[in-house]
Amino acid sequence: SYELTQPPSVSVSPGQTASITCSGDKLGNKYASWYQQKPGQSPILVIYQDSKRPSGIPERFSGSNSGNTATLTISGTQAMDEADYYCQSWDSGTVVFGGGTKLTVL
Amino acid sequence: EVQLVESGGGLVQPGRSLRLSCAASGYTFEDYAMHWVRQAPGKGLEWVSGISWNSGSIGYGDSVKGRFTISRDNARNSLYLQMNSLRVEDTAFYYCVKGRSAAYYYGMDVWGQGTPVTVSS
């Protein structure tokens, strides 16, 4: 079955750029989405179709997808961005999530 | 505003059944695919099942295939998940999630608040 791999944790200083990767076989040939989940809350969509932002998502969130890796980039990271982030794609009729990355802003 | 409200969760013994429901509002329900996604305590997200706008295309995660059945009633703006032969490892928060398009493989956007399911003797 298809798998997406994310680093368990990423740390970033306030105001700096955070990058969270998501790796899967030929992922660049599929669409990737990203979800943010804060403790005790439901996930929200922050990036879809590799690089598109839903309305209401700040411009500091961006995405890319090429080769075997999709990347979520948060520019000028703020304390409020501290959360778990999950990538998601699709393969052979199955929706797949990555294991999640805990972003710490310190 | 899109709203998804799950119900039907609770405590159930292993081997028993449970049916989850999701009431959708704020958009044209019949135009979009729907999903169930679960999250075990302290764990990540796991896709359970997805259904296209007209129920013509349905998919399941490997861990629930053959035990769970997804369905929808477009006239009632409702999504369902029939869960049979429940196992301890099915214990999780179950989220109802709106698809981004008519086909379920185009991902998802709006999530409900979830309903807890605990499988224990």
Side-chain angles (χ1 to χ4, degrees):
Chain A
S1 61
Y2 194 75
E3 293 185 356
L4 295 174
T5 301
Q6 300 180 233
S9 62
V10 168
S11 297
V12 64
S13 299
Q16 299 304 302
T17 297
S19 295
I20 300 174
T21 59
C22 173
S23 298
D25 186 47
K26 297 181 176 67
L27 181 57
N29 293 343
K30 313 173 190 294
Y31 279 135
S33 298
W34 291 90
Y35 304 88
Q36 175 195 70
Q37 186 180 33
K38 296 181 179 180
Q41 298 183 17
S42 301
I44 63 168
L45 177 68
V46 294
I47 293 289
Y48 68 98
Q49 287 185 8
D50 298 338
S51 59
K52 297 181 179 180
R53 272 179 297 105
S55 60
I57 300 301
E59 290 184 7
R60 64 179 180 274
F61 288 87
S62 63
S64 63
N65 186 14
S66 179
N68 294 322
T69 303
T71 303
L72 173 68
T73 302
I74 309 172
S75 305
T77 307
Q78 300 183 8
M80 67 173 65
D81 300 329
E82 187 164 285
D84 293 327
Y85 291 85
Y86 296 89
C87 62
Q88 174 259 308
S89 190
W90 177 86
D91 180 77
S92 301
T94 300
V95 172
V96 182
F97 284 97
T101 298
K102 181 175 181 60
L103 177 67
T104 301
V105 183
L106 40 70
Chain B
E1 178 191 7
V2 174
Q3 282 201 318
L4 301 168
V5 180
E6 303 93 337
S7 61
L11 175 62
V12 61
Q13 293 179 327
R16 305 298 290 264
S17 298
L18 205 61
R19 189 193 195 208
L20 304 183
S21 299
C22 171
S25 61
Y27 70 105
T28 305
F29 180 76
E30 63 186 9
D31 285 349
Y32 292 90
M34 294 294 294
H35 300 264
W36 289 100
V37 177
R38 69 184 182 184
Q39 187 170 33
K43 303 297 185 182
L45 302 175
E46 179 187 11
W47 180 71
V48 173
S49 183
I51 185 169
S52 65
W53 68 284
N54 64 351
S55 305
S57 183
I58 289 174
Y60 296 97
D62 288 343
S63 62
V64 306
K65 207 171 293 186
R67 299 187 299 123
F68 289 12
T69 302
I70 192 171
S71 62
R72 64 188 296 161
D73 184 341
N74 286 345
R76 297 178 182 270
N77 290 348
S78 294
L79 176 73
Y80 307 100
L81 184 68
Q82 179 65 42
M83 305 186 293
N84 298 333
S85 303
L86 281 162
R87 305 168 180 167
V88 171
E89 54 265 35
D90 293 320
T91 295
F93 229 73
Y94 284 73
Y95 293 100
C96 169
V97 193
K98 173 183 168 291
R100 284 197 50 254
S101 73
Y104 75 82
Y105 44 81
Y106 277 112
M108 50 199 80
D109 48 20
V110 181
W111 297 61
Q113 289 302 303
T115 187
V117 172
T118 302
V119 184
S120 175
S121 54

